[in-house]
Amino acid sequence: MNDKENIIEIHGLKKSFDKGRTKALTGVDLEIKEGEFISIMGPSGSGKSTLLNMIGAFDKADEGSITVAGIDLMKEKHLDQFRSQKIGFVFQLHNLIPNLNVLENVEIPMLRTKTTNEEMDKRAMELLELMNFPNLSETVKQNPTRLSGGERQRVAIARALVNHPSIILADEPTGALDSKTTQMILDLLKDIHKKENVTLVMVTHEPDVGAQADRTITVLDGKVVEGKT
Amino acid sequence: MSFLSLIVKNPFRNRTRAALAILGISIGIATIVALGMITDGLTASSQTTQNSGAAEIQVTAEGSNALSATGGTLNANYITELQNISGVSATAGEIRGITPAAGTVSGLLVSGMNSNQTNLEGISITNGTMYADGSNQVILGKQIAPVLNKTVGSTINLFGKEFTVVGIYSSGNIVTDSIAFVSMSTLQNLTNTNGKITLVDVKVNDNANVTDVANAITNAYPNQLSTTTQTQTNELMSKTTGSIKTASAAISVLAIIIGGIGIINVMIMSVFERTREIGVLKAVGWKSSDILIMILGESIILTLVAAVVGILLGVIGSEALLAFFSTTGSFLKPLFTWNIVLRAFAIALIVGIIGGIYPAYRASRLPPTEALRYE
Ligand SMILES: Nc1ncnc2c1ncn2[C@@H]1O[C@H](COP(=O)(O)OP(=O)(O)OP(=O)(O)O)[C@@H](O)[C@H]1O
Ligand SMILES: [Mg+2]
């Protein structure tokens, strides 16, 4: 693994909210190699989501340095482009758009890219086929409100993958699912991680979920305190 | 799926709200369309192209004007006396009175004139014949005939006497077309005004200046006569339509403001409800400008649909108004033009942009993390 490049490099990263009153990140140092599967653990409020949001450039850090997929996020102006091209995000709750069907939901990230309708449909179907839906041709036409939690999360994973991201960020992707569905989602993510050689960074509360990663790091009080390699 | 289809779909997620927003704006648009059609109709009908041969000047008693004068206020001698004024080529007398008539609000204006001089009022018979002098025959203007529900052969009671409608005329002048003409001597007998007239029509020589002749008349008869020229009548008409236009413009602006506030409200609510969703769109790489265009587009979709509904409502509404007015004796006809449709869509577009820009801007500025934390 040592011969691989770092895809994520973070040094002394700080982030606070409410005009400095809430210190979410107090100096994070973290390096993640390309193709790694990392799980981030730690107590509630320790800063896991904040760290993930920094990697996904959803928010700007206050201090320190953060380079993701070769892009210096402290300096980069076109963060939307970075998010579109490099990042796929899976949230704890699926966050699908209720008035769009499954296929359309998966196409959402491609909508503002230069992709034709046919290409969109093809790419979305390609990914949905990987998601083990028993009756896919029916499912794609359905609204997400009619799907189970596990099914919705699978749609969300497909959505995260459509733009061929280099990194998948997953914030408690199984947090709202039962243990059987959790393992199915996890197997899917691991499968994609292997097949597409994407880097997978996953926040989780569940130790047995975290243990399936190549490496687990622990965040405590806004710092990475422990990381086994 | 395309970006456009998403924009078209989104406003109708909450059907009730979309319907209410569309209704609110469409009422404004309908008002604008109906007022536009009515003022355009008014402008069109008041633009008089007086038939050639008509008198350029109408002379009435001091202090009155030709549009409203009635009764035997002038001595009939003026008809011949005014022929001596230089520049005058012909004169004709008219005795005028108002009689109640079914279908009119303020009664029917009837003018008594010698039948061989009606060309000075620009009258040309379009249907039937001219009345005979001394008879109880009447001709009706083409605007008033349908209001009175009379045609050639009908009878009508004027000043307590039964008259037969023998002809329908047109004069090229909306006011003249809204009255009736009978024989002068008949009307003078009926209204006890023998030897008296209401006004003198004065036709000027081809090479004479109308204003100069009018001035010459008032100078020759100081404190006795007033003159009304065709230009003055037209000016009065355009002043009236002008003030109606101003009023309808003011109402239109009000309608736009109310519609704009309505759409801002609806769009802010919609953005507020979709805070999380907008966060997701940003998280998957949508630009702020994409969000801006989407929300603005949704607002414009709502107002354009409202424009279609509003135009329909406006056309139906002004036709309904026409039906109402025609029974009360107005010569007003709403005028439908594509210009009005264009105007309605332009206004809808403006309301859509004005109403959508602030909510769209707010949505586009939402930081993705804030939006994703929002429950
Ligand atoms: N946008 C924000 N505004 C204000 N405070 C915030 C914001 N985001 C995070 N915080 C605060 O920063 C701290 C870290 O939050 P974060 O969400 O990163 O924790 P977490 O480790 O993901 O917790 P959990 O396991 O409960 O999801 C918390 O105190 C939280 O209240
Ligand atoms: Mg969290």
Side-chain angles (χ1 to χ4, degrees):
Chain A
M1 267 229 191
N2 285 342
D3 52 333
K4 288 223 170 167
E5 299 251 337
N6 283 338
I7 192 162
I8 298 170
E9 264 195 58
I10 299 172
H11 296 291
L13 197 71
K14 291 185 183 170
K15 175 70 181 177
S16 57
F17 296 102
D18 308 324
K19 300 195 177 87
R21 263 175 281 139
T22 313
K23 291 184 167 45
L25 298 180
T26 53
V28 170
D29 292 299
L30 178 63
E31 292 181 2
I32 297 173
K33 292 203 178 344
E34 201 179 328
E36 252 192 307
F37 174 11
I38 293 275
S39 68
I40 301 178
M41 300 195 63
S44 181
S46 58
K48 304 181 296 294
S49 296
T50 305
L51 176 57
L52 213 63
N53 289 345
M54 294 297 137
I55 297 172
F58 295 171
D59 207 349
K60 282 242 178 196
D62 302 332
E63 254 178 73
S65 71
I66 175 164
T67 304
V68 179
I71 289 163
D72 181 349
L73 296 185
M74 299 300 276
K75 298 213 181 91
E76 180 62 33
K77 290 254 156 38
H78 300 287
L79 291 176
D80 38 42
Q81 205 176 323
F82 163 81
R83 288 195 292 263
S84 169
Q85 293 170 355
K86 305 291 183 192
I87 304 291
F89 207 105
V90 181
F91 309 90
Q92 173 169 11
L93 294 169
H94 56 85
N95 284 316
L96 300 175
I97 296 176
N99 68 320
L100 300 181
N101 68 29
V102 164
L103 188 70
E104 291 167 335
N105 262 290
V106 175
E107 290 176 356
I108 278 285
M110 296 185 282
L111 219 54
R112 298 307 281 155
T113 62
K114 288 188 188 75
T115 319
T116 66
N117 274 349
E118 296 82 65
E119 284 168 348
M120 275 196 233
D121 287 350
K122 189 167 161 272
R123 176 66 180 157
M125 281 310 289
E126 205 173 277
L127 288 164
L128 283 165
E129 268 157 24
L130 299 177
M131 298 299 142
N132 302 333
F133 282 106
N135 193 354
L136 187 59
S137 57
E138 273 303 304
T139 310
V140 291
K141 286 182 247 153
Q142 268 171 2
N143 269 22
T145 40
R146 308 197 33 199
L147 303 182
S148 72
E151 287 171 327
R152 290 180 198 183
Q153 206 55 302
R154 280 182 271 163
V155 176
I157 292 170
R159 179 180 68 187
L161 289 167
V162 281
N163 283 344
H164 306 276
S166 332
I167 302 166
I168 293 207
L169 304 174
D171 195 350
E172 301 184 44
T174 60
L177 305 175
D178 61 41
S179 59
K180 193 167 149 248
T181 322
T182 293
Q183 196 51 51
M184 183 210 256
I185 295 292
L186 216 56
D187 288 344
L188 257 174
L189 283 171
K190 282 180 359 196
D191 202 36
I192 286 153
H193 163 243
K194 232 181 262 145
K195 269 193 205 144
E196 310 243 331
N197 193 35
V198 293
T199 308
L200 178 55
V201 183
M202 179 178 71
V203 170
T204 182
H205 268 127
E206 301 150 277
D208 50 336
V209 170
Q212 302 188 36
D214 301 336
R215 177 157 72 107
T216 300
I217 61 165
T218 305
V219 176
L220 201 64
D221 294 332
K223 277 194 177 71
V224 174
V225 292
E226 187 188 322
K228 89 176 184 324
T229 313
Chain B
M1 187 183 44
S2 71
F3 188 44
L4 186 67
S5 69
L6 182 68
I7 291 173
V8 174
K9 238 181 193 175
N10 272 341
F12 303 99
R13 263 198 231 187
N14 187 329
R15 298 240 167 99
T16 322
R17 193 197 293 156
L20 284 175
I22 287 169
L23 189 70
I25 299 157
S26 64
I27 288 170
I29 302 268
T31 312
I32 291 167
V33 167
L35 285 175
M37 284 175 64
I38 288 168
T39 51
D40 282 5
L42 195 67
T43 313
S45 61
S46 67
Q47 270 158 2
T48 52
T49 42
Q50 191 92 11
N51 286 353
S52 61
E56 294 88 353
I57 304 169
Q58 291 187 313
V59 182
T60 52
E62 165 73 20
S64 63
N65 73 67
L67 283 175
S68 58
T70 56
T73 47
L74 284 182
N75 196 300
N77 294 343
Y78 282 115
I79 302 169
T80 44
E81 277 186 34
L82 288 178
Q83 283 171 350
N84 300 325
I85 304 279
S86 101
V88 172
S89 91
T91 60
E94 288 187 43
I95 178 76
R96 288 188 167 186
I98 293 173
T99 183
T104 68
V105 172
S106 48
L108 173 66
L109 183 66
V110 183
S111 178
M113 213 175 175
N114 290 332
S115 60
N116 61 351
Q117 291 183 312
T118 51
N119 62 316
L120 262 72
E121 275 284 16
I123 285 173
S124 84
I125 301 288
T126 55
N127 195 6
T129 58
M130 177 54 67
Y131 52 82
D133 286 322
S135 71
N136 282 349
Q137 295 176 336
V138 59
I139 59 171
L140 300 175
K142 65 167 184 191
Q143 294 284 350
I144 199 73
V147 173
L148 298 169
N149 198 18
K150 303 286 179 194
T151 53
V152 174
S154 310
T155 57
I156 182 167
N157 190 302
L158 303 174
F159 304 97
K161 254 253 158 33
E162 191 95 321
F163 278 71
T164 308
V165 179
V166 292
I168 307 293
Y169 66 87
S170 114
S171 68
N173 179 319
I174 185 84
V175 178
T176 311
D177 285 345
S178 303
I179 69 176
F181 282 84
V182 297
S183 153
M184 176 141 92
S185 57
T186 307
L187 194 54
Q188 280 171 335
N189 286 335
L190 271 177
T191 56
N192 286 324
T193 49
N194 280 312
K196 301 279 183 190
I197 52 168
T198 308
L199 59 90
V200 182
D201 296 305
V202 173
K203 172 127 194 73
V204 304
N205 284 324
D206 285 348
N207 52 7
N209 177 290
V210 173
T211 316
D212 289 348
V213 175
N215 288 340
I217 292 169
T218 44
N219 288 339
Y221 300 94
N223 301 324
Q224 293 175 51
L225 298 179
S226 283
T227 56
T228 310
T229 64
Q230 194 55 54
T231 348
Q232 285 171 330
T233 312
N234 283 346
E235 272 167 14
L236 189 73
M237 285 291 229
S238 62
K239 237 189 218 163
T240 313
T241 54
S243 53
I244 291 172
K245 270 186 185 165
T246 311
S248 76
I251 295 170
S252 304
V253 168
L254 203 69
I256 294 171
I257 291 170
I258 293 169
I261 290 170
I263 195 88
I264 290 176
N265 210 1
V266 163
M267 293 314 294
I268 284 181
M269 254 177 8
S270 159
V271 165
F272 182 73
E273 277 177 5
R274 289 192 285 159
T275 303
R276 233 189 132 73
E277 182 181 313
I278 290 163
V280 173
L281 293 177
K282 285 205 156 179
V284 302
W286 280 37
K287 291 195 270 299
S288 296
S289 60
D290 296 334
I291 309 278
L292 188 98
I293 293 166
M294 179 177 78
I295 303 292
L296 197 57
E298 291 177 16
S299 167
I300 291 170
I301 290 293
L302 280 177
T303 55
L304 288 186
V305 173
V308 174
V309 176
I311 289 167
L312 288 175
L313 283 179
V315 171
I316 295 167
S318 59
E319 292 298 331
L321 275 179
L322 162 75
F324 173 73
F325 271 124
S326 68
T327 61
T328 57
S330 165
F331 42 77
L332 199 61
K333 264 199 189 72
L335 187 70
F336 176 87
T337 56
W338 289 108
N339 183 19
I340 288 174
V341 173
L342 216 66
R343 214 187 310 165
F345 273 107
I347 288 168
L349 194 68
I350 292 168
V351 172
I353 292 170
I354 291 175
I357 195 86
Y358 173 68
Y361 176 76
R362 269 201 14 186
S364 76
R365 299 308 303 246
L366 274 173
T369 43
E370 281 298 322
L372 288 168
R373 276 168 63 88
Y374 178 86
E375 294 298 333

